[in-house]
Amino acid sequence: MRTVFVNGSYVPENEAQISIFDRGSLFGDAVYEVTSVLDGKLVEYDGHMTRLRRSLAELKLPSPATDDELLEIHRELVKRNDLTEGLIYLQISRGAADRDFLFPGPDVKPTLLMFPQKKSLINSALAARGQKIILVDDLRWRRCDIKTVQLLYASIVKNQAHDAGADDAWMVLDGEITEGSSNNAYIVTEDGTIVTRDLSTDILHGITRKSVLQCAAELQLKVEERPFTVAEAKAAKEAFSTSATSFVNPVIEIDGASIGEGKPGPIAKRLRQVYIESSKAAGI
Ligand code: PMP
């Protein structure tokens, strides 16, 4: 059984409790981060905590813990759960109060919960095979840059993809791809340029995205940060997605159109390898 952390205590998972009035469940009034663990070390930890602070600030959500405390809890959960490969999930909600659309006063304490999840990240059958993607309308709210727990639409389209025999969904806004259900989206054009949507409120500013673009620059690959169309995606030489737990994940099909040779492309494979090596080496 896992040891989890909730509101100041480490407890067995079946003893962890939060209030039925928690605004995370009533309003989706909560933010989260997922940090990967490789070899028992936290991957891209600083990036995730910087984004957490930004999400909290955007929602005027008070923080229940200092930077030092959050790092200590992450490490303690890794240790107590003997976690070598997987992830630590962190969620902060605005706390429990009588149901009201107005935010509660300063006496209401935010809820902090964290738990580990074991998962094989490096050896991924999906990354070896390559993902099949369906395209769906991007019907999310327009602050996708804030990492809130409002994940219902992402969950619906992921299920839609599975029901259609595919692996994931990429979302389309005004004819252009925004991002995947839980990842950033990339194509490689005929001339070998990596294209991914530029940062705005339309997408989550992926921590993996930032590092993978750095890896691409170090490999002297050409990168363009701009929106790309559905037609460009279907005609791409290669495609892939990135996220904290999937790293770089090749795409072999988009809405029925075979991408490249219908198998993971060399650029995606190389970036996956280089990213995993460098993030492992920098783990804390
Ligand atoms: N976009 C969305 C919508 C996501 O949910 C995620 C994963 N949290 C990402 C992009 C990738 O972000 P990161 O690389 O920080 O995991």
Side-chain angles (χ1 to χ4, degrees):
M1 193 185 311
R2 280 178 285 200
T3 296
V4 304
F5 182 90
V6 64
N7 284 331
S9 306
Y10 295 93
V11 288
E13 63 182 47
N14 60 349
E15 288 174 25
Q17 289 188 339
I18 58 168
S19 165
I20 65 161
F21 300 110
D22 194 275
R23 291 182 59 92
S25 57
L26 298 188
F27 290 97
D29 190 359
V31 299
Y32 76 108
E33 282 296 332
V34 174
T35 304
S36 280
V37 174
L38 291 177
D39 299 333
K41 290 192 172 155
L42 300 162
V43 173
E44 304 250 34
Y45 182 78
D46 289 345
H48 287 289
M49 291 308 111
T50 301
R51 185 173 62 192
L52 173 69
R53 295 287 172 206
R54 179 180 179 275
S55 295
L56 290 170
E58 289 296 316
L59 298 179
K60 299 186 170 60
L61 215 159
S63 171
T66 65
D67 290 347
D68 287 349
E69 286 164 343
L70 290 179
L71 178 57
E72 191 195 315
I73 303 164
H74 275 88
R75 287 189 158 150
E76 196 59 30
L77 285 176
V78 169
K79 202 163 101 190
R80 289 187 189 220
N81 291 285
D82 225 353
L83 185 64
T84 51
E85 192 165 328
L87 60 94
I88 301 285
Y89 177 89
L90 173 159
Q91 179 176 313
I92 296 172
S93 83
R94 207 179 300 271
D98 271 359
R99 187 176 183 279
D100 192 333
F101 283 75
L102 279 177
F103 295 159
D107 47 317
V108 169
K109 295 256 171 312
T111 303
L112 168 63
L113 61 87
M114 288 172 59
F115 58 81
Q117 202 154 291
K118 286 199 163 115
K119 198 173 177 201
S120 176
L121 304 178
I122 292 180
N123 289 323
S124 155
L126 186 57
R129 160 167 70 79
Q131 310 173 80
K132 294 181 180 181
I133 301 295
I134 62 163
L135 298 176
V136 298
D137 287 340
D138 192 337
L139 300 179
R140 299 173 300 168
W141 80 324
R142 298 265 52 87
R143 285 306 305 275
C144 302
D145 57 314
I146 309 173
K147 198 165 169 62
T148 78
V149 300
Q150 303 177 91
L151 295 173
L152 181 56
Y153 190 65
S155 177
I156 287 171
V157 299
K158 181 102 184 177
N159 279 280
Q160 226 172 294
H162 274 237
D163 291 347
D167 302 296
D168 201 3
W170 282 9
M171 293 175 276
V172 179
L173 188 64
D174 299 331
E176 294 164 334
I177 313 294
T178 51
E179 59 185 336
S181 66
S182 61
N183 42 66
N184 291 115
Y186 307 72
I187 56 167
V188 180
T189 62
E190 263 319 308
D191 75 350
T193 305
I194 297 170
V195 184
T196 192
R197 198 179 178 97
D198 48 313
L199 296 181
S200 71
T201 51
D202 290 337
I203 61 168
L204 187 75
H205 302 187
I207 303 308
T208 320
R209 176 187 182 281
K210 188 175 176 191
S211 296
V212 165
L213 291 184
Q214 269 164 14
C215 291
E218 279 156 26
L219 293 171
Q220 320 241 291
L221 298 167
K222 235 176 91 188
V223 174
E224 279 177 19
E225 293 181 60
R226 60 163 177 87
F228 56 93
T229 64
V230 168
E232 280 182 287
K234 288 184 165 185
K237 198 158 98 177
E238 277 191 48
F240 58 92
S241 62
T242 65
S243 77
T245 52
S246 70
F247 312 130
V248 177
N249 212 355
V251 166
I252 54 167
E253 189 183 297
I254 299 177
D255 242 11
S258 185
I259 300 300
E261 287 163 17
K263 55 180 206 239
I267 291 183
K269 276 165 50 182
R270 182 90 185 104
L271 282 173
R272 178 178 176 87
Q273 185 188 20
V274 169
Y275 174 76
I276 288 175
E277 273 164 26
S278 71
S279 58
K280 250 183 162 180
I284 63 163

